[in-house]
C-alpha cells in the first residue's frame, strides 16, 4: 500500500498559463525561448545563477525591456490555484505522508505567495512533511538524485511511494527508481481524481 506521495506543483495544484507568458514576452520583442534562455532557466532552477544573471540573459535579446517588465512577463505563467485542490490535499494529508517537489525559482515562488493570501499558502505548505524547491536543492527533475535524496532523507520505501507529475520524463525517472507514478494529463485529469486511478495501491 502507498504510504507517501510526492507531488509536483505546477499544473498539478496551480495552473500554468504557458501561452500567456510567451505572449507577454512577444510584447517585449522576444519571439519565443531559445537555447541560451533555456540553459539559463535550467541553471536558475538549480540555484546556480542569481536572479540578476537570469534577467540579464533576457536583456541580451530584449535590451529595451526593464527588469520589472521581464519579471512581470516571467510571472505571467502563474495562474489560478483552485480551492478544491487545496481542500483535497488537506484531506489527503490526514492519511499519507506528503511531499512537494517542484522545478522552480525564487521569482515564481515569491509571485505565488504574493498572489495568494498568507493563510492560503500557509495552509498549503502545512499539508506537506517537507517542501522541496529545485533552486534550493541545487538539482532539478528528472535527475535521479533529486528523487533518491528525498527517499533517503525521509526513509521512504520506493515501492510504497507515489510520485505525481505532469511531465512524462519526470515520472519515467521516478518509475526507473521503483516508485509508483501518475503522469497526470493536464486538461484531461485533475489531481483530485487520484482515488479513481487503479494503477497503484492507495
Amino acid at each position: 500500500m502507498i504510504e507517501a506521495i510526492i507531488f509536483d506543483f505546477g499544473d498539478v495544484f496551480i495552473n500554468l498559463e504557458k501561452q500567456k507568458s510567451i505572449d507577454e514576452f512577444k510584447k517585449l520583442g522576444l519571439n519565443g525561448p531559445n537555447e541560451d534562455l533555456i540553459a539559463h532557466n535550467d541553471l536558475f532552477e538549480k540555484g546556480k545563477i542569481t536572479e540578476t544573471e537570469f534577467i540579464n540573459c533576457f536583456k541580451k535579446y530584449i535590451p529595451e525591456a526593464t527588469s520589472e517588465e521581464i519579471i512581470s512577463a516571467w510571472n505571467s505563467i502563474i495562474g489560478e490555484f483552485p480551492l478544491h485542490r487545496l481542500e483535497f490535499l488537506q484531506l489527503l494529508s490526514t492519511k499519507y505522508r506528503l511531499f512537494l517537489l517542484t522545478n522552480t525559482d525564487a521569482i515564481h515562488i515569491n509571485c505565488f505567495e504574493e498572489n495568494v493570501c498568507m493563510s492560503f499558502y500557509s495552509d498549503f505548505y502545512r499539508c506537506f512533511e517537507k517542501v522541496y524547491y529545485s533552486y534550493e536543492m541545487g538539482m532539478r527533475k528528472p535527475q535521479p538524485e533529486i528523487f533518491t535524496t528525498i527517499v533517503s532523507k525521509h526513509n521512504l520505501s520506493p515501492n510504497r511511494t507515489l510520485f505525481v507529475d505532469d511531465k512524462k520524463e519526470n515520472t519515467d525517472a521516478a518509475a526507473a527508481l521503483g516508485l509508483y507514478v501518475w503522469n497526470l494529463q493536464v486538461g484531461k485529469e485533475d489531481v483530485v481524481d487520484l482515488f479513481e486511478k487503479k494503477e497503484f495501491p492507495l
Side-chain angles (χ1 to χ4, degrees):
M1 294 293 290
I2 297 297
E3 296 177 350
I5 308 176
I6 304 171
F7 286 105
D8 180 32
F9 187 22
D11 271 339
V12 172
F13 292 110
I14 194 168
N15 296 330
L16 298 182
E17 307 288 346
K18 297 172 184 176
Q19 188 58 48
K20 183 178 180 181
S21 183
I22 291 171
D23 292 342
E24 290 300 312
F25 274 113
K26 281 185 178 179
K27 293 176 184 177
L28 299 178
L30 182 68
N31 292 317
N34 57 44
E35 290 185 4
D36 187 25
L37 288 169
I38 292 170
H40 275 75
N41 177 49
D42 183 270
L43 291 171
F44 193 39
E45 286 192 342
K46 291 178 180 176
K48 304 298 185 184
I49 59 174
T50 65
E51 178 178 320
T52 299
E53 290 172 316
F54 181 61
I55 292 171
N56 284 343
C57 184
F58 279 100
K59 288 186 175 180
K60 289 191 296 184
Y61 304 100
I62 42 177
E64 301 300 319
T66 66
S67 297
E68 291 75 18
E69 289 172 330
I70 292 170
I71 290 173
S72 178
W74 183 244
N75 280 335
S76 64
I77 193 172
I78 298 175
E80 178 189 13
F81 191 139
L83 180 60
H84 74 275
R85 292 180 186 159
L86 175 59
E87 293 171 339
F88 173 75
L89 187 64
Q90 289 172 322
L91 176 64
L92 208 62
S93 68
T94 65
K95 302 179 180 180
Y96 300 93
R97 298 176 66 189
L98 303 184
F99 302 86
L100 188 73
L101 173 61
T102 178
N103 288 347
T104 192
D105 58 74
I107 296 177
H108 278 161
I109 292 303
N110 288 338
C111 179
F112 158 65
E113 292 181 355
E114 289 174 2
N115 285 353
V116 300
C117 64
M118 183 181 293
S119 62
F120 187 98
Y121 73 71
S122 295
D123 287 346
F124 175 59
Y125 293 149
R126 198 175 293 119
C127 293
F128 300 101
E129 188 170 322
K130 178 71 175 177
V131 172
Y132 286 99
Y133 297 138
S134 61
Y135 73 93
E136 293 178 337
M137 297 183 75
M139 52 185 140
R140 68 196 294 275
K141 299 173 291 185
Q143 289 178 258
E145 296 83 2
I146 204 166
F147 301 105
T148 56
T149 295
I150 296 174
V151 167
S152 175
K153 186 172 183 178
H154 297 281
N155 196 29
L156 304 180
S157 298
N159 62 357
R160 294 187 178 184
T161 302
L162 171 66
F163 174 61
V164 181
D165 197 292
D166 64 301
K167 291 185 172 60
K168 191 174 186 300
E169 62 265 30
N170 295 339
T171 53
D172 284 351
L177 297 171
L179 281 73
Y180 284 97
V181 298
W182 176 17
N183 177 214
L184 188 149
Q185 304 300 300
V186 180
K188 297 179 181 179
E189 299 175 309
D190 193 296
V191 69
V192 301
D193 301 329
L194 177 65
F195 289 103
E196 296 178 16
K197 306 296 289 183
K198 305 301 181 186
E199 296 88 338
F200 26 80
L202 292 166

